[in-house]
């Protein structure tokens, strides 16, 4: 059937289109143009010079940082999704309606405080003489170097994304058809197999989107790698700040930012395509 565009339909779609153009497309185009500018005497000048791209993409440290950031974000998405699923599953299938509402409320509470403040509080817990090592010392363990390490970065990534991943998984699990689970049990399917063969495929879209959001948030995160990971070795977000401080090289920092955006778009399209792909294809 032929679709017709009406004023009524445009009145709802136009604000979203304007928002995307003003706050995404226009800054993105400016960032692309900025990546070709030149810096002379610590001042940026409009230009069309591909030297920024060749210099940044030709540096081994850039690709090492890129791979490190990608791996850390991928691990964070996998670990967060694995830890969040039992929590979301329990809330969706084991709690009453009232208890489920309270659980959702508790998952929202962390967003009431600043993410930066929460990361600062983790420094008190993870320091060499911090709370965690003090508790471990009482049972004869430690001290363990948890701050300024990959472990600290992962704790920060979990702090950032865990409540959101639980909520996204939960909203997908609550819409799983309960009759499919009952049918699996009637066919002598064990509880664990039912989760993997029935529940997870039925909630695949929500589970994949939750992992995607975790990857996106952690891939561009600056706070955790700096304040819990020590900033050395750096991630791409830290490399951007280091580049801008090195002779006001904002055009080269734009190259890094555009590489990050391209990566996130590629990962997002791949994840959404996988999420909505039918089984057997």
């Amino acid at each position: 059937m032929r679709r017709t565009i009406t004023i009524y339909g445009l009145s709802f779609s136009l604000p979203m289109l304007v928002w995307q153009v003003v706050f995404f497309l226009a800054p993105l185009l400016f960032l692309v143009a900025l990546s070709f500018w030149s810096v002379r005497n610590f001042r940026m000048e409009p230009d069309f010079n591909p030297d920024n791209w060749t210099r940044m993409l030709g540096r081994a440290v850039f690709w090492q940082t890129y791979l490190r950031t990608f791996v850390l974000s991928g691990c964070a998405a996998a670990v967060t999704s694995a830890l969040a699923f039992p929590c979301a599953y329990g809330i969706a299938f084991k709690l009453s309606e009232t208890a489920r509402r309270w659980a959702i409320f508790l998952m929202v509470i962390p967003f009431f405080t600043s993410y930066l403040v929460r990361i600062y509080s983790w420094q008190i817990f993870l320091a060499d003489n911090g709370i965690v090592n003090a508790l471990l010392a009482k049972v004869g363990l430690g001290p363990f170097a948890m701050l300024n390490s990959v472990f600290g970065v992962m704790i920060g990534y979990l702090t950032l994304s865990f409540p959101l991943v639980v909520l996204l998984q939960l909203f997908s699990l609550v819409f799983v058809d309960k009759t499919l689970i009952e049918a699996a049990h009637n066919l002598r399917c064990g509880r664990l197999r039912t989760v993997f063969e029935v529940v997870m495929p039925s909630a695949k879209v929500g589970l994949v989107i939750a992992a995607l959001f975790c990857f996106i948030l952690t891939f561009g995160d600056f706070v955790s790698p700096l304040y819990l990971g020590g900033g050395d070795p750096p991630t791409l977000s830290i490399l951007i700040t280091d580049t801008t401080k090195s002779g006001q090289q904002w055009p080269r920092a734009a190259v890094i930012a555009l590489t990050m955006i391209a990566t996130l778009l590629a990962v997002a399209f791949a994840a959404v395509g996988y999420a909505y792909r039918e089984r057997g294809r």
Side-chain angles (χ1 to χ4, degrees):
M1 296 179 62
R2 187 177 180 179
R3 296 182 178 179
T4 58
I5 301 177
T6 63
I7 301 297
Y8 180 79
L10 283 176
S11 64
F12 284 95
S13 60
L14 190 59
M16 179 60 68
L17 179 62
V18 172
W19 177 276
Q20 292 293 331
V21 170
V22 173
F23 294 102
F24 178 73
L25 185 59
L28 180 62
L29 293 176
F30 176 75
L31 200 62
V32 172
L34 180 63
S35 67
F36 292 97
W37 287 13
S38 300
V39 176
R40 296 183 179 90
N41 297 324
F42 300 97
R43 297 183 63 179
M44 289 188 298
E45 298 179 0
D47 198 356
F48 190 77
N49 186 1
D51 183 62
N52 297 315
W53 287 88
T54 56
R55 282 180 177 271
M56 292 306 301
L57 299 183
R59 295 172 59 187
V61 65
F62 169 80
W63 292 111
Q64 293 171 359
T65 305
Y66 178 89
L67 180 61
R68 183 184 307 113
T69 306
F70 194 94
V71 170
L72 284 175
S73 299
C75 292
V79 171
T80 305
S81 298
L83 295 177
F85 183 79
C87 182
Y89 181 88
I91 297 173
F93 296 109
K94 303 300 181 181
L95 298 184
S96 63
E97 189 69 26
T98 302
R100 187 184 304 163
R101 292 175 183 174
W102 278 106
I104 294 175
F105 176 73
L106 292 175
M107 286 294 154
V108 175
I109 285 180
F111 296 103
F112 290 0
T113 59
S114 170
Y115 170 52
L116 182 59
V117 172
R118 285 180 281 159
I119 293 302
Y120 274 131
S121 67
W122 271 116
Q123 289 184 334
I124 301 174
F125 281 88
L126 301 180
D128 292 342
N129 57 348
I131 297 175
V132 175
N133 275 318
L135 294 176
L136 292 175
K138 292 183 180 299
V139 294
L141 299 176
F144 298 102
M146 293 178 283
L147 198 61
N148 299 330
S149 64
V150 175
F151 177 79
V153 175
M154 285 297 166
I155 292 295
Y157 285 166
L158 283 169
T159 303
L160 172 65
S161 58
F162 183 81
L164 179 62
V165 172
V166 171
L167 291 174
L168 291 175
Q169 290 184 353
L170 174 61
F171 294 149
S172 182
L173 289 172
V174 293
F175 289 105
V176 172
D177 190 353
K178 304 299 189 298
T179 59
L180 296 177
I181 300 176
E182 295 174 359
H185 290 162
N186 292 335
L187 293 173
R188 305 293 183 180
C189 186
R191 293 182 180 274
L192 190 60
R193 186 178 179 185
T194 301
V195 171
F196 285 100
E197 296 291 338
V198 178
V199 176
M200 293 183 69
S202 300
K204 183 178 74 169
V205 174
L207 299 180
V208 173
I209 297 302
L212 173 62
F213 266 88
C214 180
F215 183 89
I216 292 174
L217 290 174
T218 56
F219 190 77
D221 184 33
F222 171 80
V223 176
S224 291
L226 181 63
Y227 293 107
L228 296 182
D232 188 23
T235 58
L236 287 176
S237 56
I238 297 177
L239 185 61
I240 288 178
T241 60
D242 292 342
T243 304
T244 57
K245 293 177 183 178
S246 177
Q248 296 293 321
Q249 288 292 341
W250 290 91
R252 296 180 186 177
V255 173
I256 304 174
L258 288 171
T259 305
M260 295 176 68
I261 293 173
T263 301
L264 292 177
L265 287 175
V267 172
F269 279 115
V272 172
Y274 172 76
Y276 286 95
R277 186 175 62 189
E278 297 180 3
R279 295 187 67 180
R281 289 189 178 183

